[in-house]
Structure formats: structure tokens, C-alpha cells
């Protein structure tokens, strides 16, 4: 069938809006009408050509929400009419990783997903008779897409698509990093580096976890008001303090009898390896945990003195906030509908598909928190 899509034909070129062909779902696949999609950094990373694993031509987008329109043979967990959020981290519940209960990184379709293909090794999209690759198993920059059954989370039907699409990446990543990865406890002191679409969700996750002190760090002064809006208690602009950042932060977290200082938890939401080091070193000796969320440029390396780890700081990372998509994403949608978490104010721009390249410009210039394309 004909579908409207923003196609990435070549690295470094804008997306082109085209009518492309989409084949129906094969066994254990579902076709979804995408109603809304967020624009996130990885899409830009791949489009720019900086991602060595980027494949072209492809249909990008991994932060969507929509409705199941057709199911392939053998599909039992969803039916036409169900509202779903595509998952770039699937949940098969059968592979060694899913069964381990120690990771959310399901391996069932990992090899083909990374190659831009469906699990049977082929693509459902084509343009002028030539295949177009899928992206992160989602390809939400098309008004219809085909996904493996294990890569859709069924969600309640009264939730608005133009808001819950953000749960497909940013919201779940930020909140999940706090709850699943760091397991922050009430009263904790935390530092969030980078207050963009991920960092602000870490902040609201910390508020949900009842953290006491939530320090936000950003070089963009406009982000102070944004952080405060979601529960940040202190703001630090490294460009304005006139001293080294790490000792400054450690000093801020000193309290009462504890004159050592350092945060119980820190989060890198920048993807900058120097910031990752600062985040680790701003942790409390003996127990501080630093979570890497930001994705660094390909080939980048992190460094610190081993002493930092020998003295009990823990460096860890997270993908999709450690969330098991089919299990956890519907719960996060409920939290949004029950007003436990906020999404609406973070969606700063709503665009039609024809303006999708403007959404990339806004993200690039730091003018948006999230742009959402509605079909
Ligand atoms: P964003 O561009 O909206 O926000 C980044 C923020 O960091 C900006 O406010 C910027 O001013 C700030 N910043 C930049 N350099 C800084 C510095 N040196 N010190 C302090 N602040 C600095 O990006 P985002 O959408 O919030 O995404 C953040 C990162 O998270 C990206 O690398 C993205 O790829 C990654 N991410 C990871 C996952 C995952 O599963 N691990 C999921 C989604 C996004
Ligand atoms: C989403 N991300 C950044 C912004 N929005 C993002 C990017 C990569 C990952 C997670 C989130 C990620 C972390 C670890 C992995 N990925 C590897 C997972 C594995 O090997 O099992 C990752 C994922 C998907 C893809 C590539 C890398 C892909 O589909 N191409 C989850
Ligand atoms: Zn994303």
C-alpha cells in the first residue's frame, strides 16, 4: 500500500517527503498506523552520517504512537484497533536476556534490527521498486509501519497520541534511569547533567522518587527555568561559577556531620565524555552511583582515575531507562493519565510531516525540548 514517509536517502541531506510502498505484516508482525512521532537525537545522529551503523535509504523515527490496523499470522497479544507504542528495545520474554531478569536488552531480533531489517531478513518498505531500510525496528517517520509483535506495547485508548509518543523514548529513558537503573530512594541527593528532553525527565523521575536535593547542571541558562518547572531544587551553570565544577558540586552536597560531600546519584544526559567524568567524580565516596544515559559520538572513550572506583563509586549505563517495554511502557502511560508525571509542557513544537526538517533544526539549535510530528 501507499504510505507517506519522510525518507533519509543520503547522509547529511534533509529528509524527503515521499509516497513509498509498505507491504502487509508477515507472521508475528503487526501493521500500525502511526498517529504521532517525536524527533529525537539518534534520528539526527544517524541522518548526519556520524553513525557508522547508519544505513541509507531508510525511514527514521523511533518515538511513536498509533493504532494496530492489521496483524500477521500467529499474533495473539494485540488486535486491530489496539493503541500501541513501538519499542526500539523489544521484549520477547523468552530470550536468555529477558529470562535473566537482569537486563532489558532483549536479544530476540537484535541482529536484524541493527541491519535495518525485519526478523526474517527483509524490509517491508520500498520506493520505486528498491527496498528502504527500517530504523531501530520502528520507522515512525511514516504514517504506517510494520513492527514485530514483540516490539509493540499495548496502551490504554484514552491517552493522546501526540503526548504519549514521547514515552516511546525520552520519558521512559529519563524516568526509567532513576527508577530502574539507579533505584533512587527517598531523601537522596542527585545531580543531573544536561537539562534537555532526557534530563528534564530524569528530574521528574527524581521528584517521583522523592529525592531531596535535585541539582541541575547546564551551560544553557534558559534551562534553569525548565528544570525548576519539573522539580529541580538547585541550578549550576558551569560557565558562571568561576571555579572547577566538580569541587563546587561536591561542596553543595555537604551537609551536617557529613563533610565528605558528593551526590548519592548523578546522571549524564549530555553524551559528552568530559561531562560523564564530572558526573562520576561528583558522586559520593563509598556509595555514589553515576548513570550514563547520553550517547557519545562513535569511537569516544571515557576516562577517570581508578581511585574513583576503588573508593566505591559505581559507573553504570542504561538503554531505554532499563525499561521492559511491553511491561513498563503501559504503566508509564497510566502514570501520565493519572497526572503522576507531566509530558505536555515538554512538547514545545507540533509539526506536520511536511515540516519535519524544521523539527531537526529546532533540536539542533537547542530551541525545542521536544518536537512532535502529527500525521
Ligand atoms: P538535548 O540536546 O535536548 O539536551 C542536552 C542538554 O545538555 C542541553 O540542554 C545542553 O545545553 C546540555 N549540555 C551540553 N553540553 C553540556 C555540558 N558540557 N555541561 C552541561 N550541560 C551540557 O538532548 P536530549 O534529548 O536530552 O538527549 C540527551 C542525550 O541522551 C543524547 O546523547 C541522547 O542521544 C541520549 N539518549 C540516550 C538514551 C538511552 O537509552 N541511553 C535514550 C534517549 C536519548
Ligand atoms: C534513543 N537512543 C538515543 C536517543 N534515543 C538510544 C540509542 C542507543 C541505545 C539506546 C537508546 C542503545 C544502547 C545499547 C544499545 N542500543 C544496544 C542494544 C543491544 O545491543 O542489544 C541500541 C539500541 C537499538 C539500536 C542500536 C543501539 C538499533 O536498533 N539500531 C537499543
Ligand atoms: Zn530517542
Amino acid at each position: 500500500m501507499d504510505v507517506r514517509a519522510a525518507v533519509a536517502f543520503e547522509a547529511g541531506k534533509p529528509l524527503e517527503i515521499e509516497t513509498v510502498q509498505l507491504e502487509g505484516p508477515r507472521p508475528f508482525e503487526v501493521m500500525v498506523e502511526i498517529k504521532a512521532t517525536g524527533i529525537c537525537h539518534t534520528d539526527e545522529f544517524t541522518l548526519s552520517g556520524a553513525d557508522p551503523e547508519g544505513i541509507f535509504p531508510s525511514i527514521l523515527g523511533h518515538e511513536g504512537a498509533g493504532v494496530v490496523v492489521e496483524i500477521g499470522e500467529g499474533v495473539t497479544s494485540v488486535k486491530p484497533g489496539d493503541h500501541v507504542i513501538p519499542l526500539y528495545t523489544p521484549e520477547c520474554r523468552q530470550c536468555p536476556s529477558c529470562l535473566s531478569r537482569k537486563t532489558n536488552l532483549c536479544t530476540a531480533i537484535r541482529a536484524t534490527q541493527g541491519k535495518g531489517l525485519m526478523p526474517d531478513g527483509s524490509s517491508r518498505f520500498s520506493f520505486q521498486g528498491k527496498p528502504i531500510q527500517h530504523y531501530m525496528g520502528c520507522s515512525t517517520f511514516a504514517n504506517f509501519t510494520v513492527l514485530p509483535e514483540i516490539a509493540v506495547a499495548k496502551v490504554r485508548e484514552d491517552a493522546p497520541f501526540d503526548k504519549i509518543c514521547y514515552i516511546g523514548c525520552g520519558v521512559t529513558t529519563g524516568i526509567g534511569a532513576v527508577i530502574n537503573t539507579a533505584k533512587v530512594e527517598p531523601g537522596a541527593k542527585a545531580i543531573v547533567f544536561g537539562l534537555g528532553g532526557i534530563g528534564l525527565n530524569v528530574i521528574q523521575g527524581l521528584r517521583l522518587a522523592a529525592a531531596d536535593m535535585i541539582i541541575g547542571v547546564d551551560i544553557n541558562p534558559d534551562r534553569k527555568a525548565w528544570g525548576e518547572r519539573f522539580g529541580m531544587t538547585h541550578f549550576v551553570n558551569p560557565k558562571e561559577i568561576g571555579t572547577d565544577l566538580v569541587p563546587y558540586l561536591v561542596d553543595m552536597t555537604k551537609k551536617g556531620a557529613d563533610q565528605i560531600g558528593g551526590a548519592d546519584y548523578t546522571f549524564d544526559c549530555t553524551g559528552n565524555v568530559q561531562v560523564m567524568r564530572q558526573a562520576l567524580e561528583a558522586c559520593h565516596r563509598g556509595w555514589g552511583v553515576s548513570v550514563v544515559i547520553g550517547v557519545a559520538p562513535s569511537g569516544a572513550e571515557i576516562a577517570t582515575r581508578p581511585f574513583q572506583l576503588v573508593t566505591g563509586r559505581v559507573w553504570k549505563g542504561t538503554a531505554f531507562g532499563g525499561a521492559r517495554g511491553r511491561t513498563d511502557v503501559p504503566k508509564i502511560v497510566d502514570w501520565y493519565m493519572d497526572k503522576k508525571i507531566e509530558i505536555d509542557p515538554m512538547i514545545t513544537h507540533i509539526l506536520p510531516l511536511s515540516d519535519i526538517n524544521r523539527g531537526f533544526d529546532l533540536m539542533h539549535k537547542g530551541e525545542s525540548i521536544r518536537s512532535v510530528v502529527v500525521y
Side-chain angles (χ1 to χ4, degrees), residues 39-43 62-63 88 136 168-170 173 198 370:
I39 301 173
C40 175
H41 274 277
T42 334
D43 304 314
H62 62 281
E63 197 175 72
Y88 62 81
M136 291 183 89
C169 182
T173 297
I198 301 300
R370 254 311 179 267

Side-chain angles (χ1 to χ4, degrees), residues 84-213:
V84 294
I85 290 180
L87 301 170
Y88 62 81
T89 304
E91 182 188 355
C92 77
R93 300 174 173 160
Q94 286 169 8
C95 72
S97 291
C98 285
L99 291 174
S100 78
R101 311 297 299 156
K102 294 181 183 207
T103 177
N104 65 328
L105 291 178
C106 173
T107 55
I109 57 172
R110 184 172 172 264
T112 45
Q113 179 173 323
K115 291 188 195 132
L117 300 169
M118 292 299 285
D120 73 348
S122 63
S123 171
R124 299 291 159 275
F125 289 108
S126 60
F127 180 64
Q128 295 175 346
K130 296 194 194 101
I132 302 184
Q133 306 297 111
H134 295 248
Y135 178 68
M136 291 183 89
C138 292
S139 294
T140 59
F141 292 168
N143 64 343
F144 289 83
T145 190
V146 171
L147 301 143
E149 175 182 17
I150 60 168
V152 297
K154 178 170 149 55
V155 302
R156 58 198 272 173
E157 291 175 17
D158 56 345
F161 296 114
D162 61 344
K163 306 298 189 307
I164 63 166
C165 60
Y166 195 8
I167 295 173
C169 182
V171 172
T172 303
T173 297
I175 293 178
V178 173
I179 291 174
N180 303 318
T181 310
K183 301 190 170 73
V184 172
E185 70 282 351
K189 294 181 202 151
I191 310 175
V192 184
F193 294 77
L195 306 182
I198 301 300
L200 294 175
N201 277 294
V202 171
I203 288 179
Q204 74 164 328
L206 288 164
R207 178 172 64 184
L208 199 66
D212 229 16
M213 188 178 199

